[in-house]
Every structure is written in C-alpha cells, then in structure tokens.
Amino acid sequence: TKSYWRSGRIVRYDPISHKHKVIFFEFSNAGESSYTEEWRYLNEENVQMGGKFVWALVKGFAWWPAQVLRCTFSKSKPLKSKSNVKDLTSQPVRDGYVLVEFFDSDEVASVKDSSDFIRPFHQGAVDAVMRKNKKKRNAKAVETARQEEDTTREVRNDAVRFYAERAFDCINVRANYLLGARVEIFRADINYPVGEHCMGLVRNYSTTTKK
C-alpha cells in the first residue's frame, strides 16, 4: 500500500491503552479542509512532532521563527527514501545540534544548539543578540509562529482542564462526593463546656488518612 505523511495535532492520551488521540487535518485539491479524529499507537508510527518554539539562525540568513522537531521511527514501518529536504528528519541528529522546521517555509535544518543560533521565541520577542543581525525578518512567518504557539497553548490548557475534571471526579468518589460541600460540625472542644457549631467547606481529601 502507498504510504504518505499526515498532519495533525495530539489532543489526548489514554494511559490504559497507551494510545494518543490525534486530530488530522485533511486538505482536498479544491483547497477545502476537513478534520478526522483517530486514536493511534504513536510508538508504532513514524512521527515528526513539533517541540519548543524558537528563533533559529542559519549563517547568511536572518533569524527565522521555527519549531524544534522530535522524530521517532517505527522498525515495523521503515521509511522509503525521499527526494525532498525532509530526508534530514530520518537521519540521526548530531550531538550538540537540534533539528528545526522553519515556519512558512518547506525547509528543515540541523542547527547548533547554542544561544548564538537558537533563541527563545516568546511570541516573537526580539532580544539584543538577535538585533545584531541586520537582515530583515519575515513578518508573515512570525505571525504564523505566533498563531501556532497560541493554538498549542490553548490545546494544552484544554487538556489540563479535561484531565483535572476527571481527576477531581475520581477523588470525589472516594471522598463520598463531599468535596466542595458546605458542612456544619459540632465541636465540643470549642467554647467548653457548651461547645460550638462550626461551618465550612470541604476543600480536600487524603486517600492515605481518609480525612
């Protein structure tokens, strides 16, 4: 069967099945886009994953927004040789270097992982080291990188809320559904010998002490 690369975004992970939920982006010849969701064993796939957002410098060029690539390959699905620049992703990265993919470009490069060639992106902030390079930076690429950084943050925040809610549900079951409940407790040790009613909210639960 013919194999090809598919682009998508990881949005969830199932710790029981060890599958990742991926939303794939599909584009037709007419330019129309659609989305499909699949649960996949990524450790059985050839995968190129976008890592941290950076400014990367190749000698002779301007600083360019990029994303560090992390590439993993399945022994059961060997890659066939390709004629484009992405062949670089199937090769081991030299020690002290990182593989980056430049935004709004089809280019991938192995760049020395030092502050002279890799700088934090931080939503396109330009620091003093970068200002020394007088070559004009690509505004469109910067905006694309900003949008991708924002989208990545939104997806991660959504995942945090998703798993936080489920973690809360799990612990609340063990706490007899009392987390967040308003309670009134009679304390004989307060205002002795009469005692006193104390009101409050259940805020936490210890699975160790059962308190």
Side-chain angles (χ1 to χ4, degrees):
T1 59
K2 184 178 180 180
S3 61
Y4 59 93
W5 289 97
R6 299 175 68 191
S7 296
R9 191 182 302 278
I10 300 169
V11 296
R12 295 288 186 272
Y13 174 72
D14 181 1
I16 297 176
S17 67
H18 302 294
K19 288 184 176 182
H20 291 80
K21 183 180 181 180
V22 184
I23 297 180
F24 287 103
F25 319 134
E26 312 288 350
F27 300 96
S28 68
N29 292 332
E32 298 177 350
S33 60
S34 60
Y35 304 91
T36 58
E37 297 181 359
E38 296 180 19
W39 286 92
R40 306 293 293 264
Y41 287 112
L42 293 188
N43 60 345
E44 297 179 359
E45 305 283 351
N46 299 310
V47 182
Q48 298 173 2
M49 293 173 287
K52 63 182 180 179
F53 294 83
V54 297
W55 287 101
L57 180 65
V58 175
K59 288 184 178 180
F61 293 89
W63 284 94
W64 200 284
Q67 197 167 13
V68 175
L69 282 181
R70 293 175 291 165
C71 303
T72 60
F73 303 99
S74 169
K75 294 181 179 179
S76 63
K77 297 181 180 180
L79 284 174
K80 295 181 179 180
S81 61
K82 297 180 292 182
S83 60
N84 60 33
V85 294
K86 287 184 181 289
D87 277 349
L88 191 61
T89 64
S90 62
Q91 305 298 321
V93 181
R94 288 183 292 170
D95 289 341
Y97 284 74
V98 291
L99 199 63
V100 300
E101 183 168 20
F102 297 99
F103 283 97
D104 277 358
S105 168
D106 236 0
E107 298 295 326
V108 174
S110 178
V111 179
K112 191 172 183 179
D113 190 11
S114 74
S115 58
D116 290 333
F117 298 96
I118 296 289
R119 309 293 295 179
F121 184 68
H122 293 326
Q123 280 292 299
V126 177
D127 60 26
V129 172
M130 294 175 57
R131 291 192 187 96
K132 294 178 182 178
N133 184 309
K134 302 303 180 182
K135 295 184 181 295
K136 187 176 181 180
R137 292 175 288 276
N138 187 300
K140 185 174 181 294
V142 173
E143 183 56 30
T144 300
R146 284 175 178 155
Q147 292 176 4
E148 178 62 20
E149 191 174 33
D150 286 340
T151 301
T152 300
R153 186 181 301 108
E154 290 171 5
V155 171
R156 287 176 176 171
N157 288 342
D158 181 64
V160 168
R161 289 188 292 268
F162 176 86
Y163 290 112
E165 289 173 0
R166 277 145 188 79
F168 173 83
D169 290 342
C170 290
I171 200 68
N172 201 24
V173 169
R174 302 188 66 177
N176 295 320
Y177 299 98
L178 291 177
L179 289 175
R182 184 179 295 278
V183 295
E184 183 175 348
I185 302 174
F186 178 77
R187 295 283 300 273
D189 59 327
I190 298 177
N191 196 22
Y192 182 83
V194 180
E196 191 167 315
H197 288 269
C198 301
M199 298 187 67
L201 294 174
V202 180
R203 293 189 177 276
N204 212 333
Y205 175 72
S206 170
T207 56
T208 304
T209 64
K210 305 295 190 291
K211 292 183 178 181

